[in-house]
Amino acid sequence: MTTAAGADPWAIPPLFSQLVDDTSLLQPRSVAPGVDAVVSRYLSARDGRYGGLVGQLVCPVSRLPALVQELARSVPSRPVDVSLVVDTGLGAVPKALSTVFSRSSLLTPRTVETAAPPDVDAVWLERVSEFVPEDVVAVVEPRRPAGIEPADISAWLRAVRRVAEHGCAPKLRCGGPRASDVPSVAEVEEFLHVVVDTGRPFTTLGLRQVVRSEHDDQRRHGILNLLVGVARALSGGDVREALESTDGAALAKEITGLSERSVKGVRGLLSRCGTDPEPVPATQLAGLGLLA
């Protein structure tokens, strides 16, 4: 795998470059850290040793004024790449984007993310596109059904396909406060096959660790599992085995063996991983020999 840019000892391998978003501000306000704490931690991580791993700061539209105020106080060394999450209706997007564009020294808008209705169709998706400028990526999350009925799962996957084929980036929720927020391995596998088939990049939310764990009856997906899963989906390999693995060393070995072309293919599909609450799992990646 291609690992470094030049001789920079802190260079991040291309597979992990700007991969990890900070989604701390999406937590319920009753438990979420303050905007000041999130901004301080994000800027420290972004400008630190493993800063090349850090992606966007994800912010609900309703918290944007507080974020702008805190960034103005913090005076970042360069603008923060921000993802706006629609939590007050699509009609609030133009004003939010206007605010971001007017504070170009503080923020650069990269994506606008929104949840899709269960019956998402081309008309609704076109409305989303009208609110999002061409140089900003529209991310749409078709909500996965809480049940496991085959018909419901099929409807969800059809919605994922419609989102991708319309030109938006589908979002896969991999975790959250409810047990139902964690999709099964089979559901993740089917999702990956859909996005590989469409060729559209996707994003994730709720990945809290590097390697899958299955402790105390709580199963959590891992960042490395998903990366290897995408690589195998592209090459016709065993996707399910990759998603089920809890062997971090084996996953790391497979990742270091990826060709430059494979790395480009994987990141061409898996553009960003939203993590919460820690924005940079650098220590775990370094422990597996994936970061210097």
Side-chain angles (χ1 to χ4, degrees), residues 272-288:
R272 297 159 42 227
C273 287
T275 66
D276 178 15
E278 292 297 332
V280 185
T283 301
Q284 296 176 58
L285 291 172
L288 290 167

Side-chain angles (χ1 to χ4, degrees), residues 10-291:
W10 286 3
I12 298 297
L15 186 65
F16 303 111
S17 178
Q18 296 181 314
L19 174 66
V20 180
D21 290 348
D22 185 341
T23 61
S24 301
L25 293 175
L26 295 184
Q27 296 182 79
R29 297 199 186 197
S30 59
V31 298
V35 174
D36 57 342
V38 172
V39 167
S40 176
R41 186 180 64 185
Y42 176 86
L43 293 178
S44 177
R46 188 195 67 170
D47 298 335
R49 175 171 182 175
Y50 297 113
L53 182 65
V54 179
Q56 300 172 21
L57 180 58
V58 182
C59 179
V61 169
S62 63
R63 304 193 77 177
L64 180 60
L67 175 61
V68 170
Q69 182 178 6
E70 184 57 33
L71 285 174
R73 189 190 66 80
S74 301
V75 191
S77 59
R78 64 184 189 278
V80 168
D81 288 340
V82 66
S83 172
L84 294 174
V85 175
V86 179
D87 64 339
T88 55
L90 285 173
V93 171
K95 181 179 179 180
L97 285 171
S98 176
T99 297
V100 173
F101 283 122
S102 70
R103 305 304 297 268
S104 59
S105 64
L106 302 177
L107 293 164
T108 301
R110 296 300 185 190
T111 60
V112 171
E113 306 189 13
T114 185
D119 57 346
V120 57
D121 58 18
V123 174
W124 185 88
L125 288 168
E126 187 59 36
R127 184 164 180 258
V128 171
S129 299
E130 291 173 356
F131 282 108
V132 181
E134 290 186 2
D135 56 348
V136 176
V137 177
V139 177
V140 175
E141 179 190 355
R143 286 301 176 91
R144 187 176 48 82
I148 57 174
E149 293 297 326
D152 294 335
I153 300 302
S154 295
W156 169 62
L157 293 171
R158 286 196 299 271
V160 171
R161 183 177 292 277
R162 282 195 294 271
V163 167
E165 291 178 344
H166 190 80
C168 300
K171 180 161 69 173
L172 174 65
R173 185 176 295 266
C174 292
R178 302 170 301 236
S180 60
D181 289 332
V182 183
S184 68
V185 166
E187 289 167 344
V188 176
E189 180 183 19
E190 290 297 326
F191 179 95
L192 293 185
H193 285 310
V194 170
V195 293
V196 166
D197 188 48
T198 62
R200 292 295 305 178
F202 73 98
T203 70
T204 73
L205 175 68
L207 283 171
R208 298 186 176 184
Q209 55 201 24
V210 167
V211 179
R212 178 179 175 83
S213 68
E214 297 185 1
H215 299 298
D216 301 325
D217 296 327
Q218 291 191 358
R219 296 173 175 82
R220 299 189 183 279
H221 298 287
I223 294 174
L224 294 189
N225 299 83
L226 203 58
L227 288 168
V228 174
V230 172
R232 291 191 185 182
L234 286 167
S235 63
D238 189 340
V239 176
R240 183 165 302 195
E241 193 276 336
L243 297 175
E244 291 177 339
S245 176
T246 57
D247 188 340
L251 291 168
K253 182 178 180 180
E254 186 165 346
I255 277 177
T256 57
L258 293 177
S259 67
E260 182 177 354
R261 181 178 180 180
S262 295
V263 168
K264 289 181 178 179
V266 171
R267 287 305 307 277
L269 283 179
L270 178 52
S271 58
R272 297 159 42 227
C273 287
T275 66
D276 178 15
E278 292 297 332
V280 185
T283 301
Q284 296 176 58
L285 291 172
L288 290 167
L290 295 170
L291 296 181

